[in-house]
Amino acid sequence: MEKQLVLSVKNLSKKFGNTQVLKGVDLDVYEGDVVAIIGPSGCGKSTLLRCINCLEDPSGGSIMFEGEDLADMTVDINIHRQKIGMVFQQFNLFNNLSVLDNITLAPIVIAKKKRRKAQRKNFLIKIGNVFRKTPKPLLDVGKPISQIKTDAEARAMELLKTIGLEEKAPSYPSQISGGQKQRVAIVRALAMDPKVILFDEPTSALDPEMVGEVLDLMKDLAEEGMTMVVVTHEMGFAREVADKILFMADGNIEEAGTPEEIFNNPQSPRLQQFLKCVL
């Protein structure tokens, strides 16, 4: 069965002032793929992810997702961000919210917005129906707000249980370890049922003894078929888990291939030099 194309990046460029950080990057991600992006610091890896999620506005090129170009300023990126999860280097948890509230915040807010939007449309439909011979049916406004909250919390607890952190639900980020924070951040992304998750060096801020627990969770997600794009310095993880590896240097994808091709038979001198330094 042919894999579905989830994300297609074409000729993506990004400038910061006079500095060209991305220089025409192409990337196709298929359903269930784990794509690892490796390369030296400052080569544009994190900028590429931030452009895909439109945390940075691309300077040129296209980012096709679900039939729309996310690089088009007229596209409502917030709709698509619901299906593109993002896990950051520094966790980006809200310190004033509990672990449970960090995970449920986005699902609850989005469900409430959808409910209010349907209610507003129903108000207009009701006014219009006064003048229609055949009244238009009202839209389904979805679950009551109390049920939205109950369902979001049940889903969050289910996810926390899968990573063995259900007892940390009432805790605050300051009360848990770095590895636990990053696993909570991954669960927060999963709570939105994304089509793809972007990982921006998810272990770089962790103490060495905490790296393993985060990588193990990511390996589990890969085995379950989650589509993932991972910027990483963990060469062992890239070799073991990735379906495809991209080597970036100076804002370009210098070389792409399977782990076998990249690690055992690198073609470009720049990749060969990089691997000598990191392996």
Side-chain angles (χ1 to χ4, degrees):
M1 184 176 176
E2 189 174 344
K3 285 186 176 181
Q4 179 185 356
L5 183 63
V6 175
L7 182 71
S8 183
V9 176
K10 300 297 181 189
N11 199 32
L12 191 69
S13 64
K14 175 62 182 177
K15 276 186 174 183
F16 291 104
N18 294 324
T19 303
Q20 186 86 33
V21 179
L22 297 178
K23 304 172 183 176
V25 173
D26 294 333
L27 166 63
D28 285 338
V29 181
Y30 290 85
E31 186 176 19
D33 276 357
V34 178
V35 179
I37 304 176
I38 64 174
S41 297
C43 68
K45 304 185 300 294
S46 294
T47 300
L48 173 58
L49 287 198
R50 292 179 65 84
C51 283
I52 289 174
N53 208 26
C54 292
L55 295 171
E56 299 285 355
D57 293 328
S59 303
S62 63
I63 306 164
M64 298 305 299
F65 179 74
E66 295 196 326
E68 291 199 87
D69 183 3
L70 305 188
D72 183 343
M73 294 300 211
T74 64
V75 170
D76 186 350
I77 184 58
N78 290 318
I79 292 175
H80 298 287
R81 277 206 190 111
Q82 297 171 29
K83 297 182 181 180
I84 304 177
M86 185 88 178
V87 177
F88 301 88
Q89 296 178 35
Q90 299 293 338
F91 324 128
N92 285 26
L93 298 176
F94 294 104
N95 290 322
N96 62 323
L97 297 180
S98 69
V99 164
L100 182 64
D101 289 340
N102 264 283
I103 297 168
T104 61
L105 179 63
I108 290 174
V109 168
I110 288 168
K112 284 181 177 180
K113 282 184 177 179
K114 288 180 178 177
R115 178 181 169 84
R116 285 196 295 269
K117 186 176 180 180
Q119 287 174 327
R120 287 194 297 270
K121 286 186 176 180
N122 280 344
F123 176 73
L124 297 175
I125 289 171
K126 286 178 182 178
I127 292 175
N129 282 346
V130 173
F131 305 99
R132 294 187 183 102
K133 290 183 179 180
T134 304
K136 286 180 66 175
L138 298 178
L139 302 175
D140 180 9
V141 298
K143 301 171 185 176
I145 291 175
S146 60
Q147 189 62 48
I148 288 171
K149 187 173 187 293
T150 298
D151 289 352
E153 289 180 348
R155 172 65 171 154
M157 291 304 298
E158 176 188 332
L159 289 168
L160 283 171
K161 188 174 182 179
T162 65
I163 61 170
L165 291 179
E166 64 267 37
E167 78 281 358
K168 298 295 184 181
S171 302
Y172 287 83
S174 61
Q175 298 171 317
I176 60 178
S177 71
Q180 290 171 337
K181 287 178 187 177
Q182 195 60 294
R183 284 189 286 158
V184 168
I186 293 172
V187 161
R188 178 178 60 179
L190 290 172
M192 295 300 295
D193 293 321
K195 281 197 168 183
V196 58
I197 301 183
L198 312 176
F199 293 84
D200 185 9
E201 299 187 29
T203 60
S204 65
L206 300 179
D207 293 333
E209 66 268 23
M210 296 178 182
V211 169
E213 61 191 57
V214 173
L215 293 181
D216 286 344
L217 174 56
M218 294 172 66
K219 289 174 187 176
D220 290 342
L221 292 177
E223 289 174 3
E224 292 168 9
M226 174 57 69
T227 307
M228 301 157 62
V229 181
V230 186
V231 168
T232 184
H233 290 297
E234 300 290 339
M235 296 299 116
F237 173 85
R239 186 195 291 264
E240 179 184 352
V241 180
D243 301 294
K244 180 196 297 184
I245 297 179
L246 308 179
F247 171 67
M248 286 190 70
D250 302 319
N252 291 304
I253 294 177
E254 184 85 8
E255 192 166 336
T258 65
E260 173 76 18
E261 291 166 340
I262 292 295
F263 288 107
N264 295 343
N265 190 28
Q267 298 300 302
S268 78
R270 186 69 184 87
L271 175 56
Q272 294 168 7
Q273 178 190 13
F274 174 78
L275 293 176
K276 283 180 182 178
C277 294
V278 299
L279 294 182

